[in-house]
Amino acid sequence: VKYIYMYNTIQIEVKENIGIIRLNRPDKLNAINLQMVEELVKALDELENNNDVKIVIITGNGRAFSAGADIKEMLETPLEDIMKRGHMPLWEKLRSFKKPIIAALNGITAGGGLELAMACDIIIAAESAKLGQPEINLGIIPGAGGTQRLTRTVGKFRAMELVLTGKLISAREAEAYGLVNKVVPDNSLLDEAIKLAKEIATKPAITLMLAKEAVSKAWDTLLQQGLDIERRNFYLALSTEEAKEGMKAFIEKRKPRWEK
Ligand code: CO8
């Protein structure tokens, strides 16, 4: 271990030329709050500027990769502030991040958690991981690429089923959908991610960046238009009474009561 940076909601270490980010709010299933957004942006900046680092791994501590945006915070934050600050800096940072990122899914990967994974370049999942976009159960919709990257990856019909039912699928199903590159035993997840990262890190740093940018461009042109519509509809959904009721119900650990 060469460097360890200090953060509250995440842990960073640099091993040889691999930067490892661990999401670290395990008692909240690594729900992404604004502090985590800020810290992830800072950490990604540091890893991007650190010339020893060629590739990054993101994983989670505890039994989740991430259960998505912090629902309590989302309910309590005025829509105006979410639109101004919100989670956007993280998605923008990931979109421009030049080095390859491997997401290593150690458990529950839901909502913004799956969107985070899909913003990475390669996804490895532990056998017990569960993936999905459960936003609809809160009266909202995915807001950070879930409707766009998922659809491009698994196709319209599977994406519709996932987004409209909100159900979580197993790592094996996700592998069959082409949503994860590889499923590995739970206890070898990080080793497998590091093994792949090491193989990639044998290539020249500059060539990796150029290759990543070129492959990413295969998505980019129409993706941005889709993401804009998604974001608009996410804010719209978030402003409804149904969303308030859905998120309150989650926090109060009961079923939402929706009129229609
Ligand atoms: N936010 C806040 N807290 C959470 C979240 C979350 N997303 N997920 C879990 N937690 C908390 C629980 O409240 C609980 O806390 P406590 O112990 O204090 O009561 C703790 O984590 C453990 O969770 P559970 O007891 O619920 O664990 P289970 O194993 O019973 O259930 C589930 C696991 C099924 C994953 C369940 O936790 C769940 O349904 N979580 C919510 C998943 C979800 O709906 N995610 C989508 C959130 S919305 C979103 O991500 C939109 C992103 C848009 C980003 C763009 C912004 C601009």
Side-chain angles (χ1 to χ4, degrees), residues 42-194:
K42 254 172 95 183
L44 287 165
D45 266 336
E46 271 168 2
L47 294 175
E48 194 161 46
N49 292 326
N50 182 330
N51 287 332
D52 290 340
V53 173
K54 279 186 165 177
I55 182 161
V56 172
I57 294 172
I58 302 185
T59 191
N61 285 339
R63 64 188 178 93
F65 175 72
S66 168
D70 188 307
I71 295 166
K72 190 157 188 282
E73 189 181 65
M74 218 163 32
L75 180 63
E76 288 165 359
T77 310
L79 185 60
E80 198 186 328
D81 294 344
I82 293 180
M83 288 177 72
K84 270 193 301 208
R85 237 157 54 88
H87 294 217
M88 258 13 252
L90 174 59
W91 311 116
E92 295 300 326
K93 180 74 219 171
L94 284 165
R95 215 163 65 82
S96 67
F97 193 76
K98 300 222 166 19
K99 300 174 184 178
I101 309 181
I102 298 174
L105 311 184
N106 52 300
I108 293 159
T109 303
L114 181 54
E115 292 172 315
L116 173 59
M118 290 189 295
C120 298
D121 303 304
I122 292 179
I123 306 180
I124 297 183
E127 194 106 51
S128 68
K130 294 254 179 316
L131 296 76
Q133 299 286 165
E135 285 89 342
I136 197 96
N137 297 325
L138 302 169
I140 59 174
I141 68 167
T147 67
Q148 304 299 305
R149 292 194 179 89
L150 182 68
T151 308
R152 281 157 181 249
T153 305
V154 306
K156 171 180 157 179
F157 303 105
R158 286 163 165 171
M160 279 291 183
E161 190 179 343
L162 287 172
V163 171
L164 298 181
T165 67
K167 72 174 181 186
L168 302 184
I169 58 173
S170 69
R172 287 283 172 210
E173 281 174 278
E175 186 184 36
Y177 279 17
L179 183 54
V180 308
N181 293 69
K182 194 176 177 185
V183 178
V184 300
D186 287 9
N187 58 13
S188 62
L189 176 69
L190 197 60
D191 289 344
E192 290 283 345
I194 289 174

